[in-house]
Amino acid sequence: MTIVKQLLFSFLSIIGFSILYGTPRNSILKTSLVGAMGWISLYISSLFFDSKILGTFLAAVTVGILGELFARYYKKPATVFIIPGIFPLVPGAGMYYTMLALIEKDFISAANKGTETLFIAAAISIGIILSTTLSRSIKRVKSKN
Amino acid sequence: MDKDHNNRLEAKKLLLLSILAGRIMLGSGAETYRVEDTIERICKSRKDIKYADAFVTPTGIFASLEFKGEMLTYLVRVKSIRIDLNKINLVNDFSREFVNSQMSIDEGLRILRSINKTKNYNLLTKVLGGSLGCAFFSLLFGGSLLDFISSYLVGLAVILTVNSIDKYKMTFFINNFIGAALASILSIFTIKIGIGKNMDIIIISSIMSLVPGVAITNAIRDTMSGDFVSGLSRGMEAIFSALAIAFGVGLVLNIYFKGLL
C-alpha cells in the first residue's frame, strides 16, 4: 500500500515541477514516469539497505538510464527527462537538517547530516554520469558500425 | 565579385543564426556540450564552410567559422539562465530540420525568433504547478493533509515572490536567500495559526522549488564531457545557491528559536 502511495505522490509531485520547468506538454507524463521510477527505487532500496546514499545512487542510475532510453525513443534531448526526474532526489531535507543542527549548536550531528547531504549530491552525480557515459559509448560503437 | 559579397553576407548570417540557436538553448538551461554541438552542426551543414568551432561557457558563447579562407568570429554574453525545457526541445528539433533540409537562412532566423518568444505555460500555470509539486512532496515525506495544504500555500507564495523579484535583476544569491527566508517565516506562521502540523516538512517541501537540482545535474554532465570551465562555474552556482538557501532558513529559524518571532 505504501509503495502505491509513494508512486502516486512522487508522480504527481514531478508533474508539478515539470510544469514549473516548462517541460513540453507531450512529455510531462513520460518525465513524471521516469522520476517516479527513480523515487520508487530509492524507496525499495531503503527497505533492504540502511543507506540513503546507496538508495539515491540507485535512483539516479534508474532516472539516467530511463531518461536516455526515452530520449532515444522519442527523439528529445535527455535533459527533458532527467532534470525533472532527478528533482525529488536533491537533498533539500539534508540541507535543512544540517542548518537546524548548526543553529542548535549541535555540531556533531551537523557534521553528520552535512556529510550525508554532500554524499547524496555526489551519489546523484555519479548515477547520472554512469548512465550518460554508457549511452554515449553505445552511440559511438553503433556509429562506428 | 558581387556574388562573392552576397555569399560572404550569407556566411555571416549563418554564424548569427547558429549563435542565436545556441543562446536560446544555453539561456534555457541546456548542457554546454549540446550547445557547442548544435552550433557546429548548423554551421557545417552549409557548403563552403570547412571549419566551424564553438566554445561555450554558462556565461557566454564564442563561435567562429571559416569561409573561403576568411575567419568570422562572434562573441555573445548570456546573462540570465531561466530553465525552459520546451525551448531546448524546440531548438533541438529545429537544428535537426535545418541541417537535413535546404531551408534558407532567413527562414531559419524567423523560426528561431518565434521559438525565442514562445511560452509553453503562462506564469499562473507555472506557479500553480510548481506549488502542487511542493505540496505532493510534503506527502512523500510523510506529512498529513494539513501539511499538504500549508505546503501548497507556502510554496505558492515562495514561487510567486521569487518570480516577481526576478525582474529587479538582483543576483541569484539574494533571490534564493529571500525565497528561503520567506518559506521559513510563512511555515512558522502556518503553524501558529494552526493550519500546519510539522514545521520541518512544510519548510523542506516549500524550499524544493529553490534547490539547485538543475545546476548540480548540469555541472556533472559538463564535467564528464570535458567542459571543465562550465562544470566548475555551474558547480559554484550550485554551491552558492545551496548556501543562500541555508542562510535564509538559518536566519529565520535562529530568530524563531530565540523566541523573537
Side-chain angles (χ1 to χ4, degrees), chain A residues 5-10 12-28 39 52 68 75-84 86-93 95-97 99-100 103-104 121 124-126 128-129 132-133 136 139, chain B residues 29-31 33-34 83-89 92-93 96 120-121 125-127 129-130 132-134 136-137 139-141 159 163 199-200 203-205 207-209 211-214 216-218 220-221 224-225 242 245-247 249-251 253-254 257:
Chain A
K5 257 192 198 164
Q6 295 269 328
L7 193 66
L8 186 69
F9 292 155
S10 56
L12 291 170
S13 165
I14 299 161
I15 287 184
F17 284 123
S18 45
I19 292 176
L20 184 66
Y21 284 145
T23 312
R25 277 160 206 259
N26 55 6
S27 313
I28 288 189
W39 181 264
K52 245 186 171 170
E68 295 283 351
K75 294 215 163 31
K76 293 217 181 311
T79 328
V80 170
F81 301 105
I82 291 180
I83 286 183
I86 220 75
F87 217 82
L89 307 176
V90 181
M95 275 162 56
Y96 172 78
Y97 287 121
M99 204 60 209
L100 197 65
I103 290 166
E104 287 166 343
I124 296 177
S125 319
I126 297 168
I128 296 287
I129 288 168
T132 309
T133 320
R136 268 192 212 157
K139 211 191 274 179
Chain B
E31 321 98 284
Y33 117 91
R34 187 181 299 283
I83 312 297
D84 191 334
L85 299 177
N86 189 44
K87 278 188 190 166
I88 301 179
N89 176 38
N92 202 48
D93 287 348
R96 194 172 289 154
N120 200 9
Y121 308 99
T125 325
K126 272 192 178 180
V127 173
L132 206 64
C134 294
F136 278 111
F137 202 79
L139 292 183
L140 277 184
F141 261 89
I159 299 174
N163 252 307
M199 189 176 72
D200 298 3
I203 294 182
I204 292 168
S205 23
I207 58 172
M208 272 320 268
S209 63
V211 290
V214 181
I216 294 179
T217 323
N218 275 347
I220 298 307
R221 300 189 70 157
M224 281 330 280
S225 36
I245 295 168
F247 283 154
V249 174
L251 181 77
L253 283 184
N254 214 347
F257 286 134

Side-chain angles (χ1 to χ4, degrees), chain B residues 161-205:
Chain B
T161 314
V162 171
N163 252 307
S164 53
I165 59 176
D166 201 36
K167 61 171 176 279
Y168 298 115
K169 298 254 183 294
M170 292 181 289
T171 55
F172 69 99
F173 191 88
I174 304 286
N175 281 355
N176 281 341
F177 178 80
I178 292 176
L182 185 76
S184 346
I185 292 175
L186 290 179
S187 307
I188 292 169
F189 184 68
T190 56
I191 303 284
K192 290 239 157 143
I193 62 171
I195 53 168
K197 249 169 78 192
N198 305 305
M199 189 176 72
D200 298 3
I201 292 177
I202 302 172
I203 294 182
I204 292 168
S205 23

